[in-house]
Amino acid sequence: MKAYKVVISIDAKTSLKKYIRYLREVKLSPQAARNVLDDFTATRIMLSQVAGSLQEPESEKLKARSLKRINFQKHNYFMLYKVEGEMAIITNIFHGLEDYEGKLR
C-alpha cells in the first residue's frame, strides 16, 4: 500500500484552531476539543493511507480545484485535500454544516 506524506496548509491549521478554540471558549468543553483533535489526528493518519484511492467529488468546484474530501471519522468535520505526487495536502477543514463551497478561494 502506498503511503502519502500529509501536509497541512496554514489555512487548514487556522481553521482547526478556530474550531478547537470555539469548543473550549464558547462551548466550555475542553473534552469535546480534545475529542475533535484526536479525531483529526486519526483522520490524518487514515488519509496518509487512502488519499489516492478516494472517489472523485461530485462538486464541480472541488473538481475544478483538484480537491477531494475526507470526513472525520467520528465528528461532523471534514478535510479538503489534493494529491500532488507522494503528498496529500490538506487545504481546508470545515464543519459539516458550513457552506464550504462559498468559502473556497
Side-chain angles (χ1 to χ4, degrees), residues 60-77:
E60 292 302 321
K61 282 192 173 186
L62 294 184
K63 283 182 191 177
R65 292 169 174 81
S66 300
L67 294 172
K68 293 184 176 185
R69 174 180 170 154
I70 185 169
N71 295 328
F72 280 34
Q73 296 176 34
K74 298 178 182 177
H75 295 86
N76 194 17
Y77 295 90

Side-chain angles (χ1 to χ4, degrees), residues 67-101:
L67 294 172
K68 293 184 176 185
R69 174 180 170 154
I70 185 169
N71 295 328
F72 280 34
Q73 296 176 34
K74 298 178 182 177
H75 295 86
N76 194 17
Y77 295 90
F78 62 91
M79 302 173 192
L80 296 181
Y81 72 96
K82 59 185 172 181
V83 174
E84 291 184 0
E86 303 291 317
M87 294 189 305
I89 302 167
I90 300 170
T91 60
N92 305 91
I93 299 172
F94 293 103
H95 187 274
L97 297 177
E98 282 184 86
D99 172 24
Y100 70 94
E101 286 188 351

Side-chain angles (χ1 to χ4, degrees), residues 18-34 36 77 95 97:
K18 175 185 75 171
Y19 297 126
I20 297 307
R21 186 172 37 254
Y22 173 78
L23 292 169
R24 285 186 181 140
E25 297 174 9
V26 176
K27 291 296 186 179
L28 302 175
S29 182
Q31 182 63 48
R34 276 192 299 279
V36 169
Y77 295 90
H95 187 274
L97 297 177

